[in-house]
Amino acid sequence: MENVTTVNEFLLLELTSTQELQPVLFVTLLIIYMIDLFGNGSILVVVILEPRLYSPMYFFLGNLSCLDICYSSVTLPILMANLLSAHKAVSFLGCITQLHFFHFLGCTESILLAIMGFDRFVAICYPLRYTLIMNLKMCILLATVAWITSFFYALMHSVMTARLNFCHSLKLNHFFCDVKPLLELACGDIRLNQWLIFIVTGSLAMVPCFFTFLSYLYIISFLLFKNHTCRVLHKALSTCASHLMVVSLFYGTVGLTYIAPTSAISVIQERYVTVIHTTVTSLLNPLIYTLRNKEVKLALSRVFGRKLKLPKENHWQH
């Protein structure tokens, strides 16, 4: 019979074993975190305060910015604290809480990106019915479904993981608490947990991804066969390019993170891709949207009192 250990805390993996690099990494992550908070916070403020951005597209962008602030806050503060601490540990309750919010916010972003793709699909393919379909009640309903569904999905993982017994080393092979590293330390039957990761997590990741890219495939097909002009296609896709970049960045890092490693080198690569996914992705989202979106840049200049001159041109009507 295996020796079951009473768990009070888990030891986390070091980001680097080189002591001289730890302060440098701390400062780097702190700068990334502050830019993340400022960038996403600025977008959230202008979406709330600027009446010209009161539309479904920017309603969901505000949700995404709020989510990115929370998402980076789940992992970065603990990661930075452990860089300066000799005892790199997290309590059992703290570990389960981190696991819950990591999956809660990650799943919400996946569903939210699919909803934003659907919003662009309706706006471009059914412009005359857009305001009727994507009214305020529908937008609030879609956002609420995304947040609530993701909360209970994450609750499933946190409850099923918390009930496990741990009989191996309590040193996690990761920088933060996630389901897969915790299952490596568990004893007993973990097949149900593995099936939940494979079926439920796989479905909630792949289904929104499929519908997101399906929306853009339909948009391209619609514009090509309906308008028979590349100019209109280019103009329409230019309004969707920011969202496509965010989707590609999000699912690209998720895919690299959760593909089973085949060697020790790929394990190391997976760890650093995870750090990129939890830090850089949230940082780049506001930059992508502001650099490619003149409406957001104008709103930022109005809200923060800075005059920004931009060339006049017609925008796609939302």
Side-chain angles (χ1 to χ4, degrees), residues 50-172:
E50 180 53 58
R52 300 187 188 186
L53 299 185
Y54 287 177
S55 68
M57 177 180 175
Y58 296 108
F59 170 80
F60 294 122
L61 179 57
N63 272 262
L64 183 64
S65 295
C66 177
L67 186 149
D68 281 334
I69 291 173
C70 298
Y71 199 33
S72 58
S73 299
V74 169
T75 55
L76 272 180
I78 293 178
L79 185 57
M80 289 188 293
N82 285 338
L83 281 171
L84 301 181
S85 174
H87 187 59
K88 307 179 190 304
V90 59
S91 67
F92 178 81
L93 180 59
C95 188
I96 297 300
T97 302
Q98 187 181 47
L99 180 154
H100 172 82
F101 280 97
F102 179 74
H103 282 269
F104 167 40
L105 297 169
C107 181
T108 305
E109 182 159 0
S110 176
I111 298 175
L112 195 60
L113 289 173
I115 294 172
M116 293 173 75
F118 174 74
D119 171 72
R120 294 298 84 209
F121 160 71
V122 177
I124 294 173
C125 298
Y126 301 98
L128 298 179
R129 299 171 59 187
Y130 178 63
T131 55
L132 180 64
I133 297 173
M134 299 301 293
N135 55 65
L136 180 60
K137 288 184 179 180
M138 177 58 70
C139 292
I140 294 175
L141 176 62
L142 290 173
T144 302
V145 168
W147 287 91
I148 292 179
T149 300
S150 301
F151 178 84
F152 284 105
Y153 154 74
L155 186 64
M156 172 199 71
H157 274 312
S158 56
V159 170
M160 293 299 295
T161 305
R163 60 182 284 274
L164 294 173
N165 294 318
F166 297 91
C167 54
H168 304 296
S169 168
L170 299 183
K171 187 172 183 179
L172 281 177

Side-chain angles (χ1 to χ4, degrees), residues 13-69:
L13 189 71
E14 291 183 338
L15 194 58
T16 177
S17 58
T18 306
Q19 296 296 321
E20 293 78 9
L21 284 178
Q22 291 186 0
V24 177
L25 287 172
F26 174 83
V27 173
T28 303
L29 291 175
L30 179 61
I31 293 172
I32 290 174
Y33 187 48
M34 297 305 295
I35 295 175
D36 181 7
L37 294 180
F38 177 77
N40 284 295
S42 298
I43 290 180
L44 188 58
V45 168
V46 298
V47 167
I48 293 174
L49 298 182
E50 180 53 58
R52 300 187 188 186
L53 299 185
Y54 287 177
S55 68
M57 177 180 175
Y58 296 108
F59 170 80
F60 294 122
L61 179 57
N63 272 262
L64 183 64
S65 295
C66 177
L67 186 149
D68 281 334
I69 291 173

